[in-house]
Amino acid sequence: SASFLTVQEGCDKFCSFCVVPYTRGTEVSRSPEAIIKEAEELVNSGVIELTLLGQNVNAYRGQKKSGNSLDLAGLIKEISIIRNLKRLRFVTSHPKDMTDNLIELFGKEEKLMPYLHLPIQSGSDRVLKKMNRGHTVKFYVETIDKLKAIRSDIAISGDFIVGFPGETEEDFSLTLDLCDKIKYAQAYSFKYSPRAGTPAYEKDDLSEEVKAERLVKLQEKLQIHQLNFQRNLVETVQEILVEKCGKFRNQYVGRSPYMNPVVITSTKELIGKIVKVRILNTSGLSLSGVPVT
C-alpha cells in the first residue's frame, strides 16, 4: 500500500495570497532519526510507497544526532535504503528550494518516482512579484529544463491562481504561454479568492466574470496537455501500484509512476501489489489497461 509521512511543517515564504505562515508557523523540520524510524515502521507494516509531506517539503533541513545537517536529497537517500520500500515521492515543493542535488536525484535514485508537483501560480513575472513568490518565470523554466534533461519522461504537476489582484490580459496570456512551454501532466487551477489576514486581501479588483472566463481558458489548455501526456502512455507497459477495487467487478484502480490513476481489469486479487500493466486507452482523467502476463 501507499502512505504519507510528514517530514516538514510550516512555511517561511509569505506568498501574499497565503495564510499558511500565519496559521502553521515557520518552517520546522522533523529529526531525520524520527522520520527514518517511522518510515521503517510503515514499510514493516506493508507500505511499499511513501510520499514525504511538507507545506514546503524541499525546504527540509534536519539535524542528525551526530550534528550533521541533512537536506531533502540526503533524507531521500537514507530512506531509499529501506529494503522493502519500492517507491518514493515528495510534495509540495517550492521552486526556490529545488536544489541541484535534489534535481540530480531524479536521475540517480531508482525508487524516486518521475513525478514532481512544482507550483508556479502565474506565468507573469509582474504577478509573481506581487505574489511575493521570490523567483522569476525564467528561473522556474530553467529548473524544469534541468529536471527534463536528467529525466526526460518526468511528469510535472502545477498550481495556478487566475485573477490575482492587478492581473492584466497580458499577464494572463503569459500564464497560457508558460503552460505551452512546460506541458503539465496535471495541474490544479483556481480563481483568486481573498484570504483575510493576507497582504493581498484588500486588493481584490477583478470581476467574477473575468476570473471565471480566464479560469475556463486556462483549464481548457491544461486539459489538452494532460490528455497528450496520457496519450503518450497508451500502448506502453507501466508498473502500477494497485490501491483499491474499481466500480465494477474484476476492476482495480492504481497509480502509475507518473501519478496517473489507472483502471485495471483482472480476475486476480491485485490490491497492494505493483503490477505490470499494458495501457490500452485514456479518458483524459484516467488511463485503463490490463496486466501483462
Side-chain angles (χ1 to χ4, degrees), residues 190-257:
F190 311 93
K191 290 185 287 193
Y192 171 74
S193 61
R195 294 277 182 268
T198 61
Y201 180 62
E202 297 299 327
K203 307 187 178 81
D204 190 19
D205 61 354
L206 288 167
S207 71
E208 266 310 301
E209 290 75 31
V210 168
K211 288 182 194 176
E213 198 178 290
R214 287 180 189 174
L215 187 63
V216 168
K217 271 189 198 163
L218 176 62
Q219 288 180 343
E220 281 171 355
K221 187 168 285 290
L222 291 169
Q223 273 160 2
I224 291 166
H225 292 307
Q226 180 173 320
L227 184 58
N228 287 343
F229 186 90
Q230 293 187 13
R231 279 185 181 145
N232 285 334
L233 295 176
V234 172
E235 290 308 321
T236 67
V237 172
Q238 298 292 332
E239 292 195 337
I240 308 304
L241 173 55
V242 184
E243 292 175 342
K244 58 186 179 186
C245 290
K247 283 181 189 157
F248 305 104
R249 230 185 105 197
N250 298 336
Q251 203 182 59
Y252 296 94
V253 181
R255 287 201 180 266
S256 77

Side-chain angles (χ1 to χ4, degrees), residues 21-32:
Y22 308 99
T23 55
R24 304 282 175 86
T26 56
E27 289 171 1
V28 178
S29 297
R30 290 178 66 199
S31 86

